[in-house]
Amino acid sequence: MKSSQDKPKTSLEALDATLKATDVVFEKTLKLHKDKKPEFDDVKFEAFNQANGLLAAIKRLLDETHPHLETRPLFRLMEEFRNTYSGASNVLIGHKNPNVNLGGKPSLSQSNEMNTLVIAMTEYCRAWGLKLKEAVTIVANDTGLQETQVRALRSRFNRGAGPAGAIRDLAERQSKLAALRAIEERSENNDSLGQYYQALLSMYLKLRI
């Protein structure tokens, strides 16, 4: 006589078991990755397979309990996982957010904020009394940008081009404040750019890391 343990699992029970197993594997993989453990290279494939198995379990449950639902999108996602595993190109997933640059580069929001700081630093130098060429050279040297980049950012800002809305408002406020602070600080110290410029530069460098 078969015990209750010998009975085949329902789709819901199978999904519950898959979720629990996937949770264990995922958390283990994430921890190994965070800790930079060499075992990550082995476990990541197990996590990949668990993710694919989880999709399959969800699809089976829906097909069994709600056969009227269209589950083909889940099947397509499973195909994408298999494509990734076999090295084939993906069509539906694996694309980067257009607002995010890979390779350690800043996101679009960070990039916009950094640009506003570059513009503000340039306006500070101008208000300090430097010629545009001198201001551009100083800001370029301090930020690590090319002089052409600094000049282009300022030019676009003055033309009203580039980001609009809150980002442009921020750039305008920062530039006006930077110019005012430059005038104030120059009256106190004529030898080197003042603290406000250094504060702007510090914020820029923190965002660049």
Side-chain angles (χ1 to χ4, degrees):
M1 180 177 179
K2 291 185 177 181
S3 66
S4 59
Q5 292 181 345
D6 296 325
K7 294 180 180 179
K9 291 182 178 179
T10 65
S11 295
L12 182 59
E13 291 172 333
L15 176 59
D16 179 53
T18 303
L19 282 168
K20 290 176 180 176
T22 302
D23 180 61
V24 172
V25 174
F26 276 12
E27 294 307 309
K28 178 181 178 182
T29 305
L30 289 169
K31 188 175 188 310
L32 289 172
H33 181 267
K34 180 181 178 181
D35 296 340
K36 296 181 168 45
K37 297 291 186 180
E39 295 91 337
F40 168 74
D41 288 331
D42 297 322
V43 177
K44 66 182 180 182
F45 294 110
E46 183 182 355
F48 185 89
N49 289 329
Q50 282 292 149
N52 192 47
L54 179 58
L55 284 175
I58 294 172
K59 184 179 183 301
R60 280 195 299 271
L61 175 64
L62 293 177
D63 287 340
E64 179 182 287
T65 59
H66 301 283
H68 61 284
L69 293 180
E70 178 58 81
T71 58
R72 185 164 59 183
L74 291 172
F75 175 74
R76 294 301 186 199
L77 282 175
M78 292 163 62
E79 284 186 326
E80 292 284 288
F81 272 93
R82 286 194 288 270
N83 287 341
T84 299
Y85 192 78
S86 63
S89 59
N90 283 327
V91 178
L92 302 176
I93 62 174
H95 308 294
K96 71 174 183 178
N97 186 327
N99 291 337
V100 176
N101 292 320
L102 301 181
K105 295 181 180 179
S107 66
L108 180 61
S109 60
Q110 280 182 310
S111 180
N112 285 333
E113 187 174 353
M114 292 167 72
N115 290 345
T116 64
L117 292 169
V118 171
I119 294 168
M121 284 187 282
T122 307
E123 295 310 305
Y124 181 100
C125 292
R126 294 285 287 136
W128 187 269
L130 299 178
K131 294 180 179 180
L132 179 58
K133 187 178 186 333
E134 296 173 316
V136 168
T137 298
I138 288 175
V139 173
N141 288 337
D142 287 342
T143 59
L145 296 173
Q146 299 292 325
E147 291 187 18
T148 53
Q149 291 176 292
V150 176
R151 191 180 292 273
L153 283 173
R154 183 176 184 274
S155 177
R156 291 181 63 203
F157 173 75
N158 289 338
R159 293 199 315 269
I167 294 297
R168 181 162 186 83
D169 291 341
L170 176 62
E172 290 177 347
R173 290 196 305 271
Q174 283 188 336
S175 296
K176 290 178 181 178
L177 180 57
L180 291 174
R181 291 299 299 272
I183 295 172
E184 294 173 0
E185 292 181 346
R186 186 177 182 185
S187 64
E188 302 169 0
N189 176 19
N190 292 322
D191 297 328
S192 59
L193 298 177
Q195 292 182 351
Y196 193 76
Y197 177 88
Q198 300 303 327
L200 292 172
L201 176 60
S202 178
M203 286 189 286
Y204 177 91
L205 295 177
K206 286 180 180 178
L207 287 171
R208 194 182 67 178
I209 296 175

